[in-house]
Structures are given as C-alpha cells and as structure tokens.
C-alpha cells in the first residue's frame, strides 16, 4: 500500500491548485455565478489549455488516461474553490458513459472534443420520481423510421444548458432495461429550462416531446445501458467524494481560523472547551472522509464487482454524513457570520449539503449497502 | 394527574378553529404552508385580523388588551394557528418590547406605545447584537451620552431582523463606560426615522433579506425614551430574553412542519412507490414525531409550572435547545424527501406574487432554502452552546 501521490500526480495537484487560487477567489466566483453563463468560460479555457479537461479521458481519444486518483486530485481542488463548471458531470460521468458504451465511431466523434474542452456533456438520468434510482424512470423511446422518438421529462441535468451533447436515459418500448441516447440539445423541439442549483452550478430540466434521434445516437445496444450507468455513477461518486473533501477541508480551515480570531468574553472563542471538542469531532469526520475518498479513488476503475460497489457506496455514505456534519457545525461555530451570502463559508456549507442530493444521499446509500451486506451463509439482497 | 384537555379547552380549540377557518386569508395561508416569502403587508393584515378579535397580544395582561389565557390555551392557539398556516407572529413588538414596557416602563410609555403595537402602527425591531457583541452581549459598545433632554447615540447594531420594515428599534446602549460590563447598560426606545440612522441589508445564505445592519451617527433620542432606570437596562434585557426563548420552542411550528413533511413524503416518488412507504424514510419520520411528542409534553409541563408566563432562565434554555433541534431535524428531512428535486434554486417561486405554474411542485422550491435558513435557530436568541452553559450553571449548579 502507498498513500502518497506520485510525482506526476503531485504536479497535477499543484497546477490545478494554483489555477483555482488565481481565478476562483470568492468575489470572482460571485461574478461568474451572476454572469449569463453562470460559470467561467475563461476558467474552462484554462483547464483545457493545461490539459486538465483531458485528464479522465482515455489516451485513445486524445485524453491523458488518468485513473480515479487523478480525478480525485482535480476534483478536490475544484471543490476547494467552489467551482461552478460541470467538470464531474461532463468529463468524468458523461465521458465515462460514452467511453464504456459507445462504438468506436461514436467515441471518435465525441471524446476528442470533450478531452480538448471544446464540447461538454451532461447526463440526463434523474426524473421527478426516480429519487436516485437510475433504473426507475418513465422517459420512453419509441422506434421510428431510421431512429427513435423520445418522450418524457428529465430533472436537474447538471451542466445541461452548456452541454453540446446530452446523454439521456429512456426505456425503449417493448424492451427491458434502460437505454442511453446521445441528444443534440439543438434538435428540433427540445426544450430546456435552466436555473442555478442551491449551491451555485447551473442545471436544467429537459422536456422531450416526440424528439427524433437517429439510429446511431443510441449508445450501446437497446436496453443495455444499466450496468454502465451503475459503473460510471460509481466513478462519479468517487470523484464527488473528492469534491466534497476539498470543500470540507476549506470549511474546516475557515472555521479554525475564525475561532482563533473571534473574540467574545474578552478572549478568542477557541478557548472554549466545547468548541475545541466540536472541532475535534469535525476533524475526526474529515479524517474518515479523507480515507474513504482515497479508497474510492483507488477502486473507481476496478472491474465492476460487489466489492467495488460496497466500497464506493460506503465512501459516498461516510462522505455525505461528514459533509453535512461539517457544514452544519461550521456555520454553528461561526455564529451569525456563518449564515451570510457574503462569506465563502456559507457557500461551502451549501455545496456540502447539496452534493448529497446527487447520486444518492446517505439514506439511499445506507439502503444500498444493506442490500449488498455480506453475511456469511446468507445470500445478499441484491 | 391528567394530561387530557378539559371540555372547556376542547371548546376553546373549536372556537379557535372556527375563527381561523373564517378569518385567515387563504392566499396568505398558502404562502406560509409552502414556505414562500411574506410581505410586510401580509404580516400586518393578519395582525389586524387578530387584533380585531382581541387575540393578538396573547401574553399581555388583560388590563392592557391581552387575552388572559392560560398556558394551555396559548398552546392550543399557537398549535392551531400553525396548523392552519397563519403567519408566525413577529415577536419584537408584541412579545418582546411590550412585556418590558409593561413591567418596567412609565405610564406615559405604556399609554403611548402599547396601543400602537396592537394597532400595527409601530413595527419594532431588536437592537441587541453588535459586530463585537454576540454571545457576549454585555460587551456591547454602542454609546448613549446625555446631552440635555436627549441621549446622543453612536455605534452599530447588527443582525437586526426585519429592520427594513421597522419604524422603531429597542436598543441596549452603554450609558456608563466606567462601570462593570453589565452595569453601564440602558434600554432605549429609538425612532428609526431619526436623523443619523442608516439601515443596510445583510443577505443570508438562502438569498433572503431578513437581517440588517443598523448604524447610529449622532442620533438624538429624548430621555423620555429610556425604559426603567439609567444603567439598569441589563435587567430588562434578561427579562426579555427569557420571553424570547420560551417562544422559540415553536412546538406549533414543528407540528405544522411535520405535517408538511408527511404530505411531501406521501407525494414524492421513490423510484416505484411513494417515499413515505420506504421503510427507512418512514422510520426517520417516526423518530422525529416521537421526539416532538416528548418535546411538546416537556414544554407544557415546564410552562404549566409557572404562573405569569415568565419562565425561569434555565428551563427556558432547555426548551430552546430541544425546540430548535427538532425544527432543524424536520427541515433536514423535508429537504431530503425531495431528493434531486431539492437542488433547483428558484427564487422567483418563493417571492410574493408568484402564482404561476411551478417548475415542479408548489412545495418544492422552499425546503432547501428553509433548511439553510433554519440554521439560525441554534444561533440566535442565545446560541445553543450558551444555553448549555446556562443549564450547567443554573440548573446543575456546576
Ligand atoms: C438570522 C438571525 C437573526 C437575528 N436577529 C437578531 C435581532 O433581530 N436582533 C439582535 O439583536 N440580534 C439578532 N441576531 C443575533 C444573534 O443573537 C447572535 O447571532 C447570537 O447572539 C450569536 O452571536 P454571534 O453571531 O456574534 O456569534 P458568537 O457569539 O461570535 O459565537 C460564535 C460561536 O461561539 C460560541 N460561543 C460563544 N461564546 C461561547 C461560550 N462562552 N461558550 C461556548 N461557546 C461559545 C457560540 O455558541 C457560537 O457557536 C440574529 C442572528 C441571526 C443569525
């Protein structure tokens, strides 16, 4: 076992850390949030120039071919900076799905452009009633001449308004399983309703009424996308743990600094033992989240197995719990200041809590892990 | 011992229900239920309806226009108002400064201010906290210096809730800098229209304009606006705080929020079935419901043990902690119930005047914002850490 980054990974970490620090100050972030695009096209351009957009993408498609560890390194810094770009949903989740399911032609058409940062992806897999279950959807695809017609409504497609391609899940009439389609959002009749999420990034609802997609816009074979969706959600969860970790570290740091400077009753409030213990508890949660983020990064690219699923589920569960605890306590220990829009801490708290609303919250993963629980002599429930 | 409501109390509940059914405006109730923002007029409108019925100043003695209700009646009233979606009563005037004026004020102050509170002419805000004086309230620095018939006030207050609506502010100010911290403080009533006052908004993490900074630059306040004696303001402050904390148990609000949570859980799908049928989520609701039952009983028990409604400090601290934690727990589950549907931040759907079609459901825009907003419950009115210090010192005598 080796828990250290290698030299190349350390360089990647330094590079992105520097970039985020220089371009993503809190005031700049606020300006990006309020801008038309809701993020920073310039920052994205820099990510692409430095080759960071290509990190998770296979070398065969002009990517860097990074592993879960490289994704972790990148996401942690994007989390620390509260970045608004949908790197995770596009470069890790979206590109992962194309890579796993797509034909060589489809991959060639899409992935090099994604790696270069010229084209972003967004995954439309949640619906109003799906509640994190990617298989329990209502969107339908009906075969038609030379293609399919899509009908349904997708919710909270993160990065959906800026995406060049949307990856849309649907049931094909008459087949079992879930299918995945490449949809050009500029296709006739597609409508997107955009909004910011509570923690800042842009998302949209996607309304599909008899939308035509071509036959070769199906990724993989009909009804064959589910295992790829589960697998790639696992990779995305691992990356999201890292994003949360970066944000937790920053929230923790800001809180610790604040306790040392805030004076009440004639001395810094860091002198109160109850606050010291609270910080010690937060530090404990941070430690567990760090460990599970590393574990998740290291198994994210393993072949699918019960063991991999258990580890990724556990990582998401532990990180979600830690995120909420640290978010709530960081605000509490700040007092009123912690609740103000003007102060980065409040936005970390929002990011940390709202991240648990993607890819399943702690309860979802508690249920998931229970089903996978390994009890000698008994079959598990999955 | 008998924990059942008497026939008289039952009859009172029916009377309150009948009143709410006929008098509470439906549009306001719907905004309250769905967690949308209320306007100043919404509050004033409801206040006037209550006042017409003589049910606005529930905590005042009858002689001043109060109800003379028992603790149980107040509890029933609060519970029913919350259940029907009545706006919460903004306490600063009717439940904070008024009890102080009644207890410590002059006859002139009583006859001038109390009717104006009842009628809604005056909207009060609370000027206690300062940038440097939060938990350590007695560390406040805003100065009031005597100049003839006036005090001249200089300094800054902060976190002033709904100060943007207020025409009056009650302030703790320092009138003697040489005395021990608590001893040089006075309780002053100030007209917000006075020259030298500036109000600046503070936007909270949910995008809400609920609190403000208030700056005082040579503000002249007539000496007649002093409540009680000069340098004895701390007594008023403490008296008021126990009133504030008792109100904060918020059992009625928690019960209404729990009902709303169940309603959402019964309407949100969880893949195939409804979320409320998911055994784990159901158990989470069950847990808060049982706990709320215990907090409600404790509130009634503790309140019943006191005659005049002024709750002894340490017990009100217990109630404040339990009451705030349960409300936060319910808001946590309500946010979670929405799953990914909690993510969109649709401010326009929260604003008054929105009666368009919501993007998803009429209840879905508020829960995430509300969860973040309610972090305040464990911070204000004396943070929960401070309440525990009080319990340790006063109740446990440690
Ligand atoms: C939404 C909102 C509305 C408000 N409305 C009003 C209003 O209308 N009028 C008004 O006057 N004020 C108002 N307040 C202010 C509120 O009363 C203060 O925020 C509160 O007293 C805490 O002070 P602080 O924010 O300065 O935190 P601090 O006092 O700096 O506390 C920071 C942290 O240190 C802890 N701490 C401090 N001292 C101790 C100790 N001795 N032992 C252990 N822990 C300690 C606190 O619990 C907290 O966790 C409001 C606050 C909020 C958030």
């Amino acid at each position: 076992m080796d828990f250290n980054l290698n030299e190349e990974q350390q360089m990647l970490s330094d590079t992105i850390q520097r970039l985020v620090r220089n371009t993503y100050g809190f005031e700049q972030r606020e300006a990006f949030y309020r801008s038309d695009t809701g993020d920073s096209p310039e920052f994205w351009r820099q990510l692409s120039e430095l080759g960071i957009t290509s990190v998770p993408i296979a070398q065969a498609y002009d990517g860097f071919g990074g592993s879960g560890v490289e994704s972790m390194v990148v996401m942690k810094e994007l989390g620390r900076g509260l970045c608004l770009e949908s790197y995770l949903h596009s470069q890790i989740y979206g590109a992962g799905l194309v890579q796993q399911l797509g034909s060589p032609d489809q991959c060639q058409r899409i992935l090099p452009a994604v790696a270069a940062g010229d084209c972003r992806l967004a995954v439309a897999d949640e619906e109003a009633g799906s509640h994190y279950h990617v298989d329990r959807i209502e969107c339908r695809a009906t075969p038609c001449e030379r293609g399919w017609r899509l009908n349904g409504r997708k919710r909270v497609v993160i990065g959906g308004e800026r995406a060049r391609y949307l990856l849309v899940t649907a049931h094909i009439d008459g087949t079992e399983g879930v299918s995945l389609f490449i949809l050009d959002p500029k296709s006739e009749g597609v409508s997107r309703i955009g909004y910011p999420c509570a923690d800042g990034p842009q998302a949209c609802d996607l309304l599909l009424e008899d939308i035509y997609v071509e036959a070769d816009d199906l990724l993989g074979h009909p009804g064959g996308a589910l295992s790829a969706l589960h697998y790639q959600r696992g990779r995305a969860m691992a990356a999201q743990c890292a994003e949360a970790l970066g944000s937790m570290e920053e929230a923790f740091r800001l809180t610790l600094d604040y306790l040392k400077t805030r004076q009440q009753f004639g001395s810094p409030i860091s002198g109160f033992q109850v606050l010291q213990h609270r910080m010690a508890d937060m530090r404990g949660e941070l430690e567990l989240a760090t460990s599970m983020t590393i574990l998740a990064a290291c198994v994210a690219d393993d072949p699918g197995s019960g063991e991999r699923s258990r580890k990724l589920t556990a990582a998401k569960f532990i990180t979600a719990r830690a995120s909420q605890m640290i978010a709530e306590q960081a605000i509490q220990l700040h007092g009123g200041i912690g609740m103000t829009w003007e102060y980065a801490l409040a936005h970390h708290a929002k990011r940390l809590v709202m991240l648990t609303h993607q890819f399943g919250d702690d309860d979802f993963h508690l249920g998931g892990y229970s089903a996978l629980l390994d009890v000698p002599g008994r079959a598990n429930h999955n | 011992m008998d924990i059942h409501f008497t026939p008289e109390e039952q009859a009172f509940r029916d009377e309150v229900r009948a009143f709410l059914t006929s008098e509470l405006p439906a549009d306001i109730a719907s905004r309250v239920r769905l967690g949308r923002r209320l306007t100043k007029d919404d509050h004033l409108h409801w206040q006037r309806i209550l006042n017409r019925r003589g049910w606005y100043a529930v905590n005042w003695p009858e002689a001043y226009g109060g109800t003379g209700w028992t603790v149980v009646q107040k509890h029933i009233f609060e519970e029913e108002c919350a259940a029907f979606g009545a706006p919460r009563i903004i306490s600063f005037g009717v439940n904070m400064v008024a009890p102080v004026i009644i207890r410590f004020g002059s006859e002139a102050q009583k006859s001038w201010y109390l009717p104006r509170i009842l009628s809604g002419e005056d909207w009060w805000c609370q000027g206690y906290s300062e940038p440097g004086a939060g938990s350590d309230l007695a560390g406040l620095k805003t100065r009031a210096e005597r100049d003839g018939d006036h005090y001249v006030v200089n300094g800054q207050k902060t976190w002033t809730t709904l100060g943007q609506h207020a025409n009056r502010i009650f302030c703790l100010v320092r009138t003697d800098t040489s005395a021990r911290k608590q001893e040089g403080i006075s309780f002053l009533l100030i007209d917000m229209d006075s020259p030298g006052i500036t109000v600046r908004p503070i936007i909270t993490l949910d995008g809400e304009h609920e609190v403000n900074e208030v700056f005082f630059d040579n503000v002249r306040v007539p000496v007649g606006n002093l409540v009680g004696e000069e340098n004895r303001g701390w007594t008023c402050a403490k008296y008021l705080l126990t009133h504030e904390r008792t109100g904060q148990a918020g059992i009625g609000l928690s019960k209404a929020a729990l009902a709303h949570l169940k309603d959402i859980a019964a309407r949100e799908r969880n893949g195939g079935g409804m979320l409320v049928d998911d055994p784990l989520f159901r158990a989470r609701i069950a847990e808060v419901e049982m706990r709320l039952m215990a907090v409600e009983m404790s509130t009634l028990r503790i309140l019943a043990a006191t005659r005049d409604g002024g709750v002894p400090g340490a017990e009100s601290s217990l109630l404040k902690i339990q009451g705030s934690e349960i409300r936060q727990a319910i808001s946590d589950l309500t946010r979670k119930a929405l799953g990914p549907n909690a993510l969109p931040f649709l401010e326009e759907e929260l604003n008054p005047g929105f009666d368009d079609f919501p993007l998803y459901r009429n209840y879905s825009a508020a829960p995430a914002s509300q969860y973040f907003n309610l972090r305040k419950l464990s911070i204000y009115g004396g943070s929960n850490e401070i309440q525990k210090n009080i319990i340790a010192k006063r109740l446990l005598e440690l």
Side-chain angles (χ1 to χ4, degrees):
Chain A
M1 274 196 181
D2 177 6
F3 288 101
N4 299 305
L5 297 179
N6 66 31
E7 211 172 305
E8 209 175 14
Q9 290 162 341
Q10 191 56 55
M11 268 167 56
L12 176 65
S13 174
D14 295 344
T15 306
I16 174 126
Q17 197 163 4
R18 206 172 316 117
L19 176 65
V20 170
R21 201 179 324 114
N22 292 340
T23 47
Y24 247 97
F26 181 65
E27 263 122 67
Q28 284 108 308
R29 178 191 192 262
E30 189 64 12
F32 302 152
Y33 173 74
R34 307 241 173 241
S35 72
D36 289 342
T37 59
D39 64 3
S40 168
E42 175 57 20
F43 179 66
W44 190 262
R45 201 186 54 72
Q46 286 170 308
L47 287 177
S48 111
E49 229 161 60
L50 292 164
I52 292 168
T53 47
S54 80
V55 165
I57 298 180
Q59 285 174 347
Y61 302 108
D62 304 346
F64 174 82
S67 69
V69 176
E70 278 77 21
S71 292
M72 172 182 82
V73 163
V74 173
M75 286 312 301
K76 200 166 138 186
E77 299 313 321
L78 296 181
R80 199 187 310 277
L82 285 173
C83 299
L84 297 160
E85 294 70 22
S86 56
Y87 186 94
L88 187 156
H89 296 82
S90 174
Q91 312 304 106
I92 296 174
Y93 188 30
L97 284 167
V98 173
Q99 212 162 287
Q100 187 172 351
L101 286 170
S103 65
D105 274 0
Q106 287 169 322
C107 289
Q108 202 56 55
R109 171 154 69 99
I110 294 173
L111 293 175
V114 173
D118 296 338
C119 139
R120 289 192 223 175
L121 305 174
V123 186
D125 58 356
E126 287 282 4
E127 297 179 3
S130 57
H131 205 92
Y132 314 122
H133 298 277
V134 271
D135 51 336
R136 305 194 194 158
I137 53 168
E138 292 181 346
C139 195
R140 310 214 66 84
T142 315
C144 66
E145 210 180 320
R146 284 196 308 255
W148 318 85
R149 294 213 168 267
L150 301 181
N151 277 290
R153 178 170 186 157
K154 294 292 178 180
R155 288 233 69 198
V156 202
V157 184
I158 296 183
E161 282 212 301
R162 305 270 295 141
R164 175 68 186 81
Y165 296 109
L166 302 174
L167 308 179
V168 182
T169 57
H171 288 301
I172 293 179
D173 288 346
T175 63
E176 295 283 303
V178 174
S179 306
L180 191 64
F181 296 89
I182 307 168
L183 174 68
D184 182 340
K186 295 201 189 74
S187 310
E188 173 137 3
V190 174
S191 88
R192 288 180 283 183
I193 304 168
Y195 43 76
C197 290
D199 56 334
Q202 287 289 325
C204 69
D205 276 20
L206 179 65
L207 275 58
L208 303 168
E209 274 182 56
D210 263 344
I211 302 302
Y212 171 72
V213 292
E214 288 178 28
D216 63 357
D217 286 333
L218 175 70
L219 278 167
H221 49 85
L226 202 52
S227 73
L229 281 162
H230 283 308
Y231 186 84
Q232 295 299 333
R233 275 173 93 87
R235 286 180 69 243
M237 274 154 48
Q240 198 201 44
C241 288
E243 180 179 15
L245 183 62
S247 179
M248 270 186 262
E249 285 183 359
E250 187 61 7
F252 184 85
R253 187 188 69 79
L254 289 169
T255 309
L256 190 60
D257 282 355
Y258 188 74
L259 293 191
K260 291 181 198 158
T261 47
R262 172 67 170 167
Q263 304 258 337
Q264 287 290 273
F265 305 98
S267 59
I269 58 175
S270 57
F272 296 122
Q273 202 164 47
V274 60
L275 304 189
Q276 293 173 352
H277 286 193
R278 199 79 55 81
M279 283 305 283
D281 289 341
M282 288 161 71
R283 187 64 177 69
E285 291 291 314
L286 189 58
E287 204 59 47
L288 298 184
T290 305
S291 304
M292 293 307 275
T293 299
I294 292 171
L295 177 68
C298 292
V299 302
D301 298 306
D302 285 357
S305 69
E307 198 47 35
R308 173 183 179 271
S309 299
R310 261 192 294 275
K311 285 176 174 154
L312 291 170
T313 299
K316 177 76 163 109
F317 174 81
I318 295 287
T319 309
R321 284 280 170 95
S323 294
Q324 185 171 348
M325 187 272 189
I326 289 179
E328 291 179 352
Q329 292 307 327
I331 293 179
Q332 182 67 23
L333 297 196
H334 273 83
I337 291 284
M339 289 198 54
T340 52
W341 187 285
E342 295 289 291
Y343 181 36
L345 178 85
H347 298 270
H348 282 288
K350 289 196 284 182
R351 170 68 48 94
L352 286 170
V353 171
M354 297 323 288
L355 282 181
T356 70
H357 286 256
Q358 295 174 30
F359 308 119
D361 61 13
D362 54 339
D363 281 353
F364 179 84
H365 289 288
L366 182 57
Y369 197 94
S370 304
L372 290 166
L373 196 67
D374 195 8
V375 184
R378 313 244 342 213
N380 71 35
H381 294 185
N382 223 33
Chain B
M1 251 183 209
D2 183 2
I3 52 96
H4 298 99
F5 293 110
T6 64
E8 293 75 29
E9 286 161 351
Q10 292 285 10
F12 175 72
R13 188 184 290 276
D14 292 339
E15 193 187 347
V16 173
R17 284 185 180 163
F19 165 76
L20 288 163
T21 307
S22 68
E23 300 288 326
L24 177 62
D27 58 332
I28 294 183
S30 134
R31 283 202 279 286
V32 171
R33 281 225 189 82
L34 299 174
R36 297 199 176 141
R37 296 169 178 170
L38 297 183
T39 63
K40 181 179 184 181
D41 280 342
D42 288 337
H43 285 291
L44 285 175
H45 186 163
W46 178 233
Q47 206 169 294
R48 276 192 213 103
I49 294 171
L50 284 174
N51 190 42
R52 238 185 354 247
R53 179 66 188 251
W55 285 0
Y56 178 47
V58 295
N59 293 317
W60 298 11
E62 275 170 284
Y64 297 103
T67 53
W69 284 342
T70 63
V71 166
V72 175
Q73 280 178 304
K74 287 181 201 170
H75 177 75
I76 290 172
F77 182 70
E78 185 203 309
E79 186 180 339
E80 293 300 330
C81 282
F84 274 76
R88 76 195 161 88
I89 298 303
I90 307 294
S91 333
F92 304 110
V94 67
N95 292 328
M96 290 195 197
V97 77
V100 170
I101 291 175
I102 290 171
R103 176 88 164 72
F104 302 99
S106 66
E107 285 313 313
Q109 285 168 343
K110 287 180 201 172
S111 60
W112 173 247
Y113 290 115
L114 298 180
R116 296 172 64 90
I117 289 173
L118 286 179
S119 70
E121 263 167 291
D122 283 351
W123 183 302
W124 285 90
C125 62
Q126 179 181 26
Y128 274 27
S129 307
E130 298 180 3
S135 298
D136 181 16
L137 183 56
L140 61 91
K141 292 208 167 67
T142 297
R143 284 279 282 132
E145 280 165 299
R146 191 69 184 263
D147 177 24
D149 289 343
H150 286 83
Y151 288 105
V152 180
V153 180
N154 281 291
Q156 182 193 344
K157 295 293 175 182
T158 191
W159 311 120
T160 320
T161 299
L162 299 182
Q164 72 269 33
H165 297 335
N167 63 330
R168 306 211 183 260
I169 181 168
F170 56 92
C171 286
L172 293 179
V173 293
R174 190 158 295 287
T175 36
D176 182 353
T177 45
S178 62
R180 265 192 53 228
K181 265 166 71 174
Q182 281 86 345
E183 282 163 16
I185 292 172
S186 299
F187 194 101
L188 211 52
L189 310 177
I190 303 179
D191 190 336
M192 293 283 277
D193 297 330
S194 316
I197 293 188
T198 314
V199 180
R200 277 200 216 134
I202 298 175
I203 304 301
T204 44
L205 75 175
D206 49 337
E208 192 89 36
H209 176 197
E210 181 175 310
V211 286
N212 302 272
E213 298 178 288
V214 182
F215 298 87
F216 299 85
D217 178 19
N218 285 319
V219 176
R220 295 185 70 81
V221 180
V223 285
N225 288 18
L226 176 75
V227 179
E229 288 173 51
E230 194 176 87
N231 299 332
R232 290 281 172 272
W234 193 246
T235 318
C236 305
K238 278 196 307 187
Y239 179 76
L240 182 152
L241 274 178
T242 56
H243 274 265
E244 178 179 355
R245 278 171 205 153
T246 320
Q248 275 170 1
I251 302 298
L253 293 175
S254 281
K255 285 182 134 182
L258 179 63
H260 190 55
L261 164 63
K262 286 182 180 173
D263 182 44
I264 290 179
R267 291 168 69 186
E268 283 294 301
R269 279 168 299 155
N270 177 28
M274 302 323 263
L275 187 61
V276 76
D277 298 319
D278 174 77
L280 184 53
F281 200 78
R282 206 179 168 85
R284 297 236 182 272
I285 302 179
E287 194 177 342
V288 292
E289 182 163 310
M290 291 188 284
R291 197 166 173 90
L292 178 55
M293 201 185 288
V295 178
E296 180 181 18
M297 273 300 125
S298 304
T299 305
L300 283 168
R301 244 183 66 237
I302 292 174
L303 288 179
T306 63
R307 289 253 145 232
D308 66 350
V311 170
E315 276 84 359
S316 77
S317 295
L318 280 174
L319 294 182
K320 198 261 171 173
I321 294 171
Q322 298 300 337
S324 59
E325 286 182 353
I326 197 89
R327 267 181 82 192
Q328 289 177 335
I330 295 167
S331 78
D332 179 33
L333 286 182
T334 310
R335 169 180 57 69
K336 280 176 90 170
L338 283 165
N341 297 315
L343 282 160
F345 180 51
L346 303 166
E347 264 196 302
E348 64 280 15
E349 290 194 15
L350 296 176
N351 281 333
F354 178 82
D355 43 23
D356 241 325
F357 295 104
L359 184 60
Y360 171 50
R361 296 271 170 86
N362 59 6
Y363 57 70
S364 59
S369 289
Q370 212 145 53
Y371 160 81
F372 290 114
N373 183 278
L374 290 188
R375 304 316 310 164
K376 70 189 176 189
L377 297 180
S378 49
I379 296 174
Y380 68 19
S383 74
N384 285 12
E385 286 77 18
I386 294 296
Q387 307 299 345
K388 287 179 192 175
N389 288 347
I390 294 173
I391 293 166
K393 198 164 151 194
R394 297 255 264 318
L395 203 63
L396 312 180
E397 297 180 359
L398 292 174

